[in-house]
């Protein structure tokens, strides 16, 4: 639950001070002193002006305050608005509605029901409500705070389902006696027993009459002071009731005298108004432990407002220590040492067995099943332990984790046969249904989910039962049943924590059915909730996909830009970037697309190349053919079935000709394109910023070249800095590349060989010695020796002969002082003639040896078009997205960066938890080693995937 306590109670002592001329007088109410974040201390304060209106402060206004903590002066280092914490979902509100259903209310029950309905309609997300009434006058119940059984009943446990709350508001039973004190005691006990770090209050609807309670009013008054739970008394009598007034005043709540429903129109707003004036002041205490029974707190506020407040707070050491454990858990600082310290420090505390249970769960989550079981069995030695059935539940879960389903089912059934607490019974039914599912007994699972949703209608557990039932129905292929269950969650439990997952599934179902308006509505609803940011990001990502499918490219780009820049999920941010690049090209944002592409990791670039052979690019209003790196040719994308621009693999080009980046094949002027393209086509080939900064591409020297018949033809050396590209027109299809500098090819025609032989003639050796001397002057370069022939003979024989001649020259140079590793001999046969083979003279020209100087140059994108491997560390698979996200938070709290991924190709367990995606196997194994140090119950697997462009 949330990390702090806030009690609505306003205080006993209020000191009003006159301010200086530059200050405004204010009133401060010291509400609650909270040690749950010890050594941080949270002081909750209500601040209002002289008219009772809330004061608006900023976080930086913490400098206006100073606190005397047991006469030790400290300055707060943080100031948070409580209403803002609530709106951000960092706090929840727990309310008990208490209905007077005694016969003295005859004639006014309609007023009570109308007032209660109006209040329920005002509730917001994060508000949890239970309904308590006086009962039927015959049955009694037990509360821990009072030795005798009292009258009253709980009509419904805490729920945020307005539908179910409305259903339980009508009064169907009237008692002939009134049990108001018992009902208040019951409500105080119920609200306080939530054991959550949240805000709590009681709304009492009554005429104030009392004649039958077992408990005296003084017991409730004592608990009001101890628990600091405010009571909002709604007086439905014909005259003002002083008892209701006293209860409201004593608790720090408010009294309302109501004659008709409209008198309560602003009840909920009154609660929120109080919140708007409430702030959490945080300071650090230097105390080594919380040892006092009471703390005197004096607050001084000086600056724009001037006020002081003083209050003595009673404290309960064991409660403080227990809530501190809960806070540390919420911060991911779960500690076995802290648990053991509590058990030894408070061996007889009412929380001791609950802390022992935390110890057992600590071992359970880490896969230490034997240790967990031994701790559970210690608790279970005492059947009267307050944690007995909760421990049975955890023991059953342990059996289920170990796949001992029969033992798990037996233990869940034991809980159901003995437990009266509705929350524990509901969880037992939920986990029992999951055990049936894991065994493959889907019929019993669905039946159990149905019973749970019926018996605990209105609760969070019922909402989850509908969700789990829908997940199972989808796995079984029963889509109508799944939609019905998901619809129940959204309609009746729209504010529940489960509803966001139901909306996500409904949106996906709508997408598959091409109901895009419906899918859009669900995704937009998710984005407006206070759900975890990664869930909202996933909804936004899916929404961008719908924008693209509808042709709303600008809308998709806006969403994707935001996600790429701000998402905390690596998967979502990466996916947004991958979708953003082609969307930008499609929208004509070519330069931005190029810049975005080059900022991607090599792995992300590989993914884009793999997913898109070609992409449509908007160039001045015309859709042409392009690539994901922003290269394009002005041939309409639909003009031909063959890509007009592609990337080819030519490793030799990198070293032999100093090619920078991809080597392209461009087509133009083909017969089928004659009617749709001019004789010359424009091309734009992008240049990465780091190519310029690293001087791999130097404007004026580097340029685009066309390779044809063994020669390179210069296309352009004019670099367009604005477009981040070389742009040129061409008419010949073929190979085009960005070369760092014009290629240097040395052709020697005076090296002759006898017909069909590969021995070097003596008269040609002097030319080779000249080249040897030149090579010694450039020790970092290599030399390719390329042998060429005329067309005499077979091509196979020509290639073999030209290779022998090239290698003969290589051997000669190696024998005369050049390192053989610097020499490359290749035979090209008759493939690249430089003259027509139509005369002895021209054929002699073609029988040549070419020497190409090769300087080493790195290719920054070479890896993009080569094979790479991914190493994904897979942790667990889940049927339900909610279960996956619950475990994700648990692992994240322990410092592990886990991700939820959806595998839509799977019918069952399609939600997968991953420990990350790594480019090196060693990195993946290191991550696993760190993880398994703490969690031995999970067996991570490395999934290797190969990707090739």
């Amino acid at each position: 639950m949330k990390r702090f306590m806030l009690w609505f109670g306003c205080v006993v002592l209020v000191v009003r001070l006159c301010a200086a001329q530059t200050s405004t007088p204010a009133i401060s109410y010291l509400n609650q002193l909270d040690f749950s974040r010890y050594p941080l201390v949270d002081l909750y304060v209500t601040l209002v002006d002289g008219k009772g209106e809330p004061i608006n402060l900023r976080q930086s206004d913490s400098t206006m305050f100073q606190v005397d903590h047991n006469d030790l002066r400290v300055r707060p280092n943080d100031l948070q608005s409580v209403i803002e914490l609530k709106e951000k979902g960092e706090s929840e509100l727990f309310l008990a509605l208490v209905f007077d259903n005694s016969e003295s209310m005859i004639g006014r029950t309609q007023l009570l029901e109308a007032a209660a309905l109006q209040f329920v309609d005002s509730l917001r997300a994060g508000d949890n409500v239970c309904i308590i009434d006086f009962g039927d006058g015959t049955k009694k119940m037990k509360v821990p705070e009072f030795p005798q059984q009292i009258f009253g009943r709980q009509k419904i446990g805490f729920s945020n389902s307005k539908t179910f709350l409305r259903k339980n508001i009508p009064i169907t039973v009237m008692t002939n006696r009134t049990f108001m004190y018992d009902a208040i005691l019951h409500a105080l006990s119920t609200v306080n027993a939530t054991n959550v770090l949240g805000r709590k209050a009681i709304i009492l609807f009554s005429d104030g009459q009392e004649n039958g309670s077992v408990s005296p009013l003084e017991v409730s008054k004592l608990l009001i002071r101890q628990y600091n739970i405010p009571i909002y008394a709604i007086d439905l009598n014909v005259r003002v009731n002083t008892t209701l007034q006293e209860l409201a005043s004593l608790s720090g709540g408010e009294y309302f005298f109501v004659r008709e429903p409209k008198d309560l129109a602003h009840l909920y707003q009154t609660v929120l108004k109080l919140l708007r004036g409430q702030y959490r002041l945080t300071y650090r205490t230097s105390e080594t432990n919380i040892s006092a029974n009471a703390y005197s707190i004096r607050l001084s506020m000086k600056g724009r407002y001037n006020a002081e407040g003083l209050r003595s707070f009673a404290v309960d050491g064991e409660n403080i220590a227990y809530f501190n454990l809960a806070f540390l858990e919420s911060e991911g600082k779960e500690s076995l040492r802290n648990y053991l310290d509590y058990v030894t420090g408070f061996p007889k505390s009412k929380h001791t067995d609950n802390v022992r249970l935390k110890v057992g769960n600590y071992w359970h989550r880490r896969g230490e099943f034997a240790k967990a079981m031994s701790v559970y069995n210690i608790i279970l030695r005492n059947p009267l332990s307050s944690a007995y059935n909760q421990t049975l539940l955890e023991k059953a879960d342990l059996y289920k984790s170990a796949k001992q389903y029969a033992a798990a089912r037996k233990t869940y059934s034991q809980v159901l046969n003995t437990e009266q607490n509705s929350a524990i019974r509901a969880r037992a039914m939920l986990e029992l249904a999951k055990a049936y599912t894991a065994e493959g007994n889907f019929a019993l699972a669905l039946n159990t989910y149905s019973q749970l949703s019926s018996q605990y209608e209105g609760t969070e557990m019922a909402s989850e039962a509908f969700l789990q039932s829908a997940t199972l129905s989808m796995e079984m292929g029963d889509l109508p049943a799944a939609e019905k269950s998901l619809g129940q969650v959204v309609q009746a439990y729209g504010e529940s924590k489960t509803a966001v997952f139901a909306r996500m599934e409904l949106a996906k179902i709508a997408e598959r059915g091409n109901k895009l308006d419906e899918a859009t509505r669900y995704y937009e609803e998710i984005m407006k909730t206070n759900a975890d940011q990664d869930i909202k990001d996933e909804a936004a990502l899916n929404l961008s996909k719908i924008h693209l499918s509808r042709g709303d490219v600008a809308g998709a780009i806006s969403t994707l830009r935001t996600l790429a820049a701000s998402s905390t999920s690596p998967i979502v941010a990466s996916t947004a970037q991958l979708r953003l690049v082609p969307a930008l090209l499609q929208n004509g944002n070519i330069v931005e697309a190029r810049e975005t592409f080059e900022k991607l990791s090599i792995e992300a670039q590989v993914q884009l190349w793999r997913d898109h052979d070609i992409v449509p690019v908007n160039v001045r209003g015309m859709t042409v053919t392009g690539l994901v790196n922003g290269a394009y040719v002005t041939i309409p994308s639909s003009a031909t079935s063959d890509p007009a621009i592609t990337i080819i693999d030519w490793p030799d080009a990198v070293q032999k000709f100093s090619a920078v980046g991809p080597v392209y094949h461009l087509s133009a002027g083909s017969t089928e394109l004659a009617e749709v393209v001019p004789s010359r086509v424009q091309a734009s080939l992008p240049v990465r910023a780091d190519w310029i900064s690293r001087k791999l591409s130097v404007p004026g020297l580097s340029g685009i070249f066309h390779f044809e018949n063994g020669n390179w033809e210069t296309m352009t050396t004019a670099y367009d800095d604005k477009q981040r590209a070389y742009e040129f027109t061409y008419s010949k299809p073929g190979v085009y590349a960005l070369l760092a500098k014009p290629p240097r090819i040395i052709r020697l025609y005076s090296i002759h060989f006898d017909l069909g032989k590969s021995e070097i003639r003596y008269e040609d050796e002097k030319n080779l010695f000249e080249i040897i001397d030149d090579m010694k002057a450039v020790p970092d370069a290599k030399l390719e020796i390329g042998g060429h022939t005329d067309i005499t003979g077979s091509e196979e024989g020509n290639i073999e002969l030209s290779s022998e001649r090239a290698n003969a020259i290589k051997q000669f140079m190696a024998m005369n002082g050049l390192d053989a590793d610097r020499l490359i001999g290749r035979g090209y046969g008759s493939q690249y003639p430089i003259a027509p083979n139509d005369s002895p003279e021209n054929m002699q020209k073609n029988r040549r040896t070419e020497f190409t100087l090769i300087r080493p140059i790195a290719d920054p994108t070479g890896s993009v078009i080569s094979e790479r491997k991914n190493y994904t560390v897979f942790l667990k698979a889940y049927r339900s997205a909610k279960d996956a996200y619950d475990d994700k938070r648990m692992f994240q709290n322990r410092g592990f960066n886990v991700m939820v991924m959806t595998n839509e190709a799977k019918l069952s367990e399609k939600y997968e938890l991953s420990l990350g995606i790594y480019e090196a196997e060693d990195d993946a194994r290191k991550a696993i080693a760190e993880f398994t140090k703490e969690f031995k119950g999970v067996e991570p697997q490395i999934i290797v995937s190969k990707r090739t462009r």
Side-chain angles (χ1 to χ4, degrees), residues 1-7 34 36 92-94 128 158 190-200 322-323 326 497:
M1 300 301 286
K2 308 306 172 189
R3 298 197 293 262
F4 66 87
M5 281 189 267
L6 169 65
W7 317 103
D34 181 10
S36 63
E92 294 181 312
L93 177 62
F94 291 83
N128 301 277
F158 285 105
T190 300
V191 175
N192 185 64
T194 54
N195 273 344
V196 294
L197 307 179
R199 298 183 311 286
K200 307 167 187 179
Y322 182 73
F323 279 110
K497 298 172 184 176

Side-chain angles (χ1 to χ4, degrees), residues 679-749:
S679 59
R680 297 176 69 81
V681 180
Q682 185 179 25
S684 181
L685 304 183
V687 176
R688 294 171 58 113
D690 63 317
W691 297 350
I692 301 290
S693 64
R694 293 164 56 196
K695 300 190 183 305
L696 299 177
S697 176
V698 180
L701 177 63
S702 306
I704 302 296
F705 292 80
H706 174 219
F707 186 76
E708 184 178 24
N709 294 329
N711 296 300
W712 287 98
E713 175 190 358
T714 303
M715 300 304 298
T716 182
T717 57
Y719 172 64
D720 188 332
D721 182 64
K722 185 177 180 181
Q723 294 300 317
R724 301 279 304 280
Y726 284 99
E727 299 193 335
F728 59 97
T729 57
Y730 69 96
S731 58
K732 295 179 181 180
V735 175
Y736 292 79
L738 168 61
L739 303 186
K741 59 183 178 180
R744 180 185 175 189
I745 299 177
I746 308 169
R747 292 195 176 109
L748 296 179
Y749 303 102

Side-chain angles (χ1 to χ4, degrees), residues 15 22 27 52 124 192 194 217 281 419 434 444 483 512 531 550 559 707 726-727 806 890 896 900 902:
V15 181
T22 56
I27 302 173
R124 300 182 183 180
N192 185 64
T194 54
L217 180 59
L281 275 169
E419 179 59 55
K434 290 182 180 180
L444 274 177
E483 287 190 273
R512 288 195 289 270
R550 287 178 153 176
T559 301
F707 186 76
Y726 284 99
E727 299 193 335
M890 187 260 290
F896 295 102
V900 175
T902 305

Side-chain angles (χ1 to χ4, degrees), residues 156-349:
I156 172 179
F158 285 105
S159 172
N160 57 17
S161 169
K162 292 182 181 180
T163 301
F164 188 59
L165 289 169
R166 292 188 194 102
K167 182 188 292 188
N168 282 272
I169 283 176
I171 294 175
T172 56
V173 175
M174 305 291 286
T175 65
N176 57 13
R177 300 179 69 190
T178 57
F179 310 108
M180 185 176 74
Y181 301 161
D182 283 356
I184 292 172
L185 175 58
H186 184 188
L188 287 165
S189 178
T190 300
V191 175
N192 185 64
T194 54
N195 273 344
V196 294
L197 307 179
R199 298 183 311 286
K200 307 167 187 179
I202 294 170
I203 314 293
L204 172 63
F205 297 86
S206 177
D207 61 4
Q209 299 297 311
E210 163 59 46
N211 61 22
S213 289
V214 177
S215 63
L217 180 59
E218 290 307 313
V219 172
S220 291
K221 287 182 178 180
L222 181 65
L223 291 180
I224 286 171
R225 295 188 186 96
Q226 181 179 343
Y227 292 162
N228 290 295
I229 298 175
I231 296 176
Y232 291 82
I234 315 302
D235 190 347
L236 301 172
N237 207 331
V238 294
R239 63 184 66 85
V240 171
N241 184 280
T242 56
T243 301
L244 294 179
Q245 281 184 319
E246 182 186 9
L247 287 170
S249 175
L250 178 65
S251 67
E254 196 158 338
Y255 171 81
F256 297 85
F257 183 67
V258 178
R259 294 184 179 274
E260 49 187 308
K262 70 176 185 179
D263 295 339
L264 278 179
H266 303 296
L267 173 59
Y268 188 79
Q269 292 304 318
T270 299
V271 175
L272 291 187
K273 180 180 177 181
L274 180 62
L275 290 181
R276 273 192 288 271
Q278 287 184 340
Y279 294 88
R280 183 183 70 185
L281 275 169
T282 303
Y283 58 90
R284 182 175 292 272
T285 176
S286 59
E287 295 172 292
T288 56
N289 56 67
I290 307 301
S291 56
N293 294 321
Y295 282 84
S296 173
I297 304 297
R298 179 184 295 277
L299 175 73
S300 298
M301 178 186 185
K302 294 180 180 178
R304 289 184 293 119
Y305 296 95
N306 198 333
E308 284 198 7
L310 173 67
R311 182 177 177 182
S312 179
F313 290 95
V315 298
D316 183 334
E318 66 182 52
N319 272 345
I320 288 173
Y322 182 73
F323 279 110
N324 184 237
L325 291 178
F327 167 71
L328 291 173
E329 288 172 3
S330 71
E331 289 285 286
K333 298 175 183 175
E334 182 183 43
S335 166
L336 182 63
R337 181 74 266 159
N338 288 343
Y339 296 149
L340 297 179
D341 285 347
Y342 186 95
V343 172
T344 55
F346 303 97
K348 296 184 179 181
S349 165

